[in-house]
Amino acid sequence: MKQLCICASLALGLACGVHAQDQRDYHQPLYEEGCDSCHDQGMNKFPSDEACLQCHDPAEVAEQTAREGEEKLQNPHDSMHYGQDAPCMECHGEHTPKKALCQECHNFDYPKFK
């Protein structure tokens, strides 16, 4: 029975760790809590916006990504199309690289999306 538990634990760790190559350092405490700490809709779906907003405040993120001058309207977290309500998973991927939603129509330079 002990071997079964060890094997199950290793399998779960590998299942969660398979996608670990793009983990964000600041999310490390969540990884230790388990995959379902973010995957509130199940492991086969992206986390909901509500899961992200438990830790990330939209107004603070918009302030952190604010631009000045001619680029003032290019804030991906406070856009003229979505305001501060763009779906998180449209641009952000924890385990796989994604393209910013804005870049489907615009050519704004978002260095973190290269």
Side-chain angles (χ1 to χ4, degrees):
M1 182 65 158
K2 185 177 179 181
Q3 286 180 326
L4 180 62
C5 289
I6 291 171
C7 289
S9 296
L10 286 172
L12 178 61
L14 289 172
C16 289
V18 166
H19 302 291
Q21 63 270 19
D22 289 327
Q23 291 179 347
R24 311 297 187 265
D25 291 340
Y26 50 84
H27 284 157
Q28 188 61 41
L30 295 171
Y31 305 141
E32 293 168 8
E33 290 179 29
C35 301
D36 60 352
S37 62
C38 291
H39 286 272
D40 59 337
Q41 302 182 97
M43 293 307 299
N44 294 327
K45 294 187 177 185
F46 287 124
S48 68
D49 284 348
E50 289 76 24
C52 300
L53 298 177
Q54 288 180 39
C55 298
H56 300 280
D57 178 75
E60 287 179 17
V61 175
E63 186 177 322
Q64 292 170 355
T65 57
R67 294 172 169 220
E68 296 181 8
E70 291 179 13
E71 297 179 345
K72 184 176 182 174
L73 297 177
Q74 297 177 14
N75 187 339
H77 296 105
D78 192 9
S79 76
M80 58 191 302
H81 300 294
Y82 297 99
Q84 295 179 7
D85 296 324
C88 304
M89 292 290 114
E90 286 296 320
C91 302
H92 297 281
E94 185 67 13
H95 308 299
T96 57
K98 290 190 107 175
K99 181 176 166 181
L101 179 64
C102 304
Q103 291 178 321
E104 292 194 17
C105 299
H106 301 282
N107 60 1
F108 302 143
D109 182 29
Y110 295 128
K112 290 185 178 182
F113 282 98
K114 288 189 178 199

